[in-house]
Amino acid sequence: MAHEVVLIPGDGIGPEITCAMRRVVDATGAAISWRVEPAGAAQVERCGTPLPPETLDAVRSVGVAIKGPVTTPVGTGFRSVNVALRQAFDLYACVRPCRSLPGDGSRYRDIDLVIVRENTEDLYAGIEFEAGDPAVDELARLVERAGAKGFRPGSAISIKPISEEGSRRIVTHAFEYARACGRHKVTAVHKANIMKATDGLFLRVAREVAGSYPDIAFEDKIVDACCMGLVTDPAAFDVLVLPNLYGDIVSDLCAGLVGGLGMAPGANIGDGCAVFEATHGSAPDIAGKDIANPTAEILSAAMMLDHLGEYEAAARIRAAVGSVLAAGEQVTADVRRAQTGSATGAVGTRAFADAVISHLG
């Protein structure tokens, strides 16, 4: 019986890289029934939102989706479709493996890290007040009554909620992932030396959860020291678990260790739903030019196939991608440039997918 999967092409380069991904998945012979649904800037004019209700309904019904990137305006306009999906389906765990691939063009080799990022709380909860909003004055009075240090007039305010429940389930997810995947250490990343209430709660819960997993080593790192450690001695890390904002930043840092966001797959996991996606943006400046690198989207599909129990197909995709990158002859311009210093000889999105398909075996 075929696995039903919602496919959200997105916008920008999304339709191109999801097309490449779909062709690769179909070539494995895995039984996937694709249900294509829209999201992106073009939908705002049609229905007033970049994430139409029918797309949400489809994801809710099917429970598994894979999406391309969707453009998010900076500073104004609608909030991120990614954030909206995570909150709509309580996709509390963002899992981003960062593994070296042969020929990825990185200055590092043998990187093998996994970022487990809390997805629903922290500053990304979206509780914000514009400067001049009367609610800011109310918050100022509340802070004053509490005896805490106030803030300047004319401030905009973002609120950072971190709960015991949210912290416990993401740290537990990280330890369960480590145990299931044969990993040996979990590092909780925080700034509890400064944010003693919020990050302090996260750290306290992490230490409590760690006590239930004596077979897995545990440590905690302040986020700035962690970033330095990742670029000086990345082999010292295994699975990292972080609150939302730090997880977003550190996962991009780790992607930089393995050739960049074009190589970095991702999964957003909840108790009853999973959405897989490349971790990079929509790159509208190169949309439609057949030059985008679909590696991250293809590797995200491999994560999806693992989730569906199609382990052999997932392994074949990873091996085929590795073979194509190692050969270096049929790679996109970003990879070719990283490998040789020049984009000469690079191939397009479709040709890269053709090469991966030819190596599936």
Side-chain angles (χ1 to χ4, degrees):
M1 183 176 177
H3 304 282
E4 189 173 14
V5 171
V6 175
L7 172 58
I8 304 171
D11 57 26
I13 61 172
E16 296 167 79
I17 64 171
T18 55
C19 178
M21 173 276 298
R22 179 173 175 175
R23 290 175 54 223
V24 170
V25 171
D26 288 345
T28 68
I32 304 295
S33 174
W34 301 99
R35 179 171 171 177
V36 181
E37 299 288 348
Q43 302 305 311
V44 176
E45 185 175 345
R46 183 178 72 85
C47 58
T49 173
L51 190 57
E54 61 265 29
T55 301
L56 285 171
D57 289 344
V59 176
R60 184 176 294 109
S61 172
V62 174
V64 179
I66 186 165
K67 61 177 288 295
V70 177
T71 304
T72 301
V74 177
T76 59
F78 59 82
R79 293 186 67 225
S80 165
V81 166
N82 295 342
V83 172
L85 282 168
R86 293 164 190 167
Q87 293 183 345
F89 300 109
D90 199 22
L91 305 176
Y92 62 87
C94 180
V95 180
R96 294 186 174 181
C98 292
R99 298 186 178 95
S100 295
L101 291 166
D104 61 18
S106 171
R107 68 189 63 187
Y108 293 93
R109 297 264 50 89
D110 301 323
I111 301 294
D112 188 3
L113 306 171
V114 180
I115 305 299
V116 179
R117 165 191 171 193
E118 203 287 321
N119 241 356
T120 64
E121 299 190 319
D122 198 1
L123 290 170
Y124 280 31
I127 307 171
E128 293 196 293
F129 302 92
E130 299 278 359
D133 188 323
V136 175
D137 293 332
E138 293 183 34
L139 287 168
R141 290 191 289 271
L142 175 63
V143 169
E144 184 179 354
R145 289 197 301 270
K149 182 179 180 181
F151 44 85
R152 293 185 179 91
S155 294
I157 301 294
S158 293
I159 293 179
K160 173 178 174 161
I162 290 184
S163 70
E164 179 171 348
E165 176 189 356
S167 299
R168 190 172 302 280
R169 69 179 181 176
I170 193 62
V171 176
T172 299
H173 188 93
F175 274 96
E176 288 293 324
Y177 180 97
R179 180 177 282 173
C181 296
R183 291 181 173 268
H184 306 294
K185 183 170 72 172
V186 171
T187 301
V189 182
H190 60 89
K191 193 68 176 175
N193 57 326
I194 302 298
M195 283 170 276
K196 299 181 186 296
T198 50
D199 286 28
L201 184 152
F202 178 82
L203 177 57
R204 173 178 61 79
V205 170
R207 287 170 172 167
E208 291 175 4
V209 172
S212 299
Y213 295 86
D215 53 317
I216 299 171
F218 173 75
E219 65 177 1
D220 69 87
K221 291 279 187 183
I222 295 172
V223 62
D224 42 346
C226 175
C227 290
M228 183 183 72
L230 282 165
V231 298
T232 55
D233 186 17
F237 297 89
D238 191 359
V239 176
L240 296 89
V241 60
L242 311 90
N244 206 335
L245 178 61
Y246 308 147
D248 191 9
I249 296 167
V250 171
S251 62
D252 278 20
L253 184 156
C254 290
L257 302 177
V258 295
L261 291 173
M263 302 290 182
N268 300 283
I269 308 294
D271 289 335
C273 186
V275 177
F276 300 83
E277 61 183 355
T279 60
H280 56 70
S282 60
D285 56 319
I286 62 169
K289 297 181 180 180
D290 189 40
I291 60 175
N293 181 358
T295 299
E297 190 75 20
I298 292 169
L299 293 176
S300 296
M303 294 182 73
M304 179 192 74
L305 290 169
D306 281 335
H307 179 78
L308 294 171
E310 298 284 350
Y311 304 112
E312 181 184 4
R316 287 169 59 207
I317 287 175
R318 293 188 181 101
V321 169
S323 295
V324 173
L325 293 173
E329 296 174 355
Q330 294 175 292
V331 296
T332 51
D334 57 327
V335 178
R336 186 73 170 175
R337 193 176 297 111
Q339 291 176 341
T340 68
S342 169
T344 302
V347 302
T349 309
R350 290 190 295 269
F352 178 81
D354 290 339
V356 172
I357 291 168
S358 71
H359 283 77
L360 283 172

